[in-house]
Amino acid sequence: DAKTTQPTSMDCAEGRAANLPCNHSTISGNEYVYWYRQIHSQGPQYIIHGLKNNETNEMASLIITEDRKSSTLILPHATLRDTAVYYCIVSAYQGGSEKLVFGKGTKLTVNP
Amino acid sequence: EAGVTQSPTHLIKTRGQQVTLRCSPISGHTSVYWYQQALGLGLQFLLWYDEGEERNRGNFPPRFSGRQFPNYSSELNVNALELEDSALYLCASRGAGENIYEQYFGPGTRLTVT
């Protein structure tokens, strides 16, 4: 699985958009980009995933660069409840070795 | 729709003892995954069960084992507990045919080994 690089921490003002970057320069053609978040002491929560097109759901938008070497998770109107550790994961189905490999993630703090 | 449930919420055990953790997946989900989140180590994959069979396991010793029942609920057993087994144990489930990485996590069981 390709490795990802994320900033250790970020701050965002409540009501503003939170843009969380992720570098995955060694991503291969069949690997997807997944985002999860973990609010303190809770289980991780799936947010969104994509292959090469930009994706949007009720929680967030995922922007993947054309060369697929980086992506940005966008929370359009951050709230205090969005304070969490956000994990960017790159992986592909490998026929039997399915598992999520979590890195250190980005600690997002939404400030009032 | 009820989410993934885990029991117990918290547990304190003594080194050398055995523990069983339980997980009920979302209704209709057939795959169950177990992860360990020890302080400072991040989430580590433990086990994956699908349709009652163990499909994959992470880099953990054999004293970590489990099973999946016909109703797709699952148990994680840890024998001969060691101090470093203290961690949050998370269970996740996934529905058949869904993206394999779209997993839904439970709240976890906090295990403390003294």
Side-chain angles (χ1 to χ4, degrees):
Chain A
D1 295 331
K3 288 194 172 183
T4 62
T5 304
Q6 299 179 253
T8 303
S9 63
M10 293 183 65
D11 285 275
C12 176
E14 189 178 18
R16 306 297 291 266
N19 298 288
L20 293 98
C22 179
N23 285 319
H24 31 79
S25 58
T26 60
I27 192 171
S28 59
N30 63 340
E31 288 183 312
Y32 284 75
V33 180
Y34 300 83
W35 283 85
Y36 278 76
R37 73 180 181 184
Q38 187 173 23
I39 296 169
H40 182 62
S41 294
Q42 297 181 22
Q45 177 187 25
Y46 165 83
I47 301 172
I48 198 168
H49 75 277
L51 183 62
K52 48 185 167 183
N53 298 321
N54 297 337
E55 302 287 343
T56 296
N57 63 21
E58 63 279 3
M59 287 184 67
S61 294
L62 175 60
I63 308 298
I64 303 174
T65 58
E66 195 168 338
D67 62 8
R68 305 211 319 125
K69 293 185 177 182
S70 66
S71 60
T72 301
L73 178 75
I74 301 172
L75 308 178
H77 305 287
T79 70
L80 299 179
R81 286 178 294 182
D82 292 323
T83 292
V85 177
Y86 287 77
Y87 298 98
C88 169
I89 299 165
V90 172
S91 201
Y93 178 67
Q94 296 185 28
S97 64
E98 288 76 21
K99 59 183 178 181
L100 286 169
V101 179
F102 289 82
K104 301 283 189 187
T106 296
K107 175 74 167 78
L108 174 70
T109 302
V110 180
N111 300 304
Chain B
E1 177 185 87
V4 176
T5 59
Q6 293 186 244
S7 63
T9 306
H10 295 86
L11 203 52
I12 299 175
K13 289 286 189 177
T14 304
R15 190 170 51 183
Q17 286 187 314
Q18 178 266 342
V19 69
T20 298
L21 311 181
R22 295 177 175 81
C23 171
S24 291
I26 291 172
S27 178
H29 283 193
T30 58
S31 276
V32 170
Y33 304 79
W34 287 95
Y35 293 83
Q36 181 197 66
Q37 187 172 33
L39 199 61
L41 289 181
L43 280 119
Q44 307 284 324
F45 167 75
L46 260 168
L47 288 159
W48 170 36
Y49 290 96
D50 181 60
E51 296 285 352
E53 300 283 332
E54 181 181 302
R55 301 295 184 183
N56 196 17
R57 68 179 289 129
N59 189 25
F60 282 84
R63 58 191 185 83
F64 286 83
S65 66
R67 55 180 173 167
Q68 186 179 34
F69 298 97
N71 67 353
Y72 304 113
S73 66
S74 177
E75 283 182 353
L76 173 69
N77 299 295
V78 187
N79 294 321
L81 284 166
E82 300 179 1
L83 296 178
E84 53 264 34
D85 296 333
S86 294
L88 180 66
Y89 288 84
L90 291 156
C91 168
S93 74
R94 173 181 64 82
E98 291 183 12
N99 186 294
I100 58 167
Y101 297 109
E102 190 172 337
Q103 298 176 15
Y104 294 86
F105 284 78
T109 293
R110 173 80 56 191
L111 172 65
T112 302
V113 182
T114 62

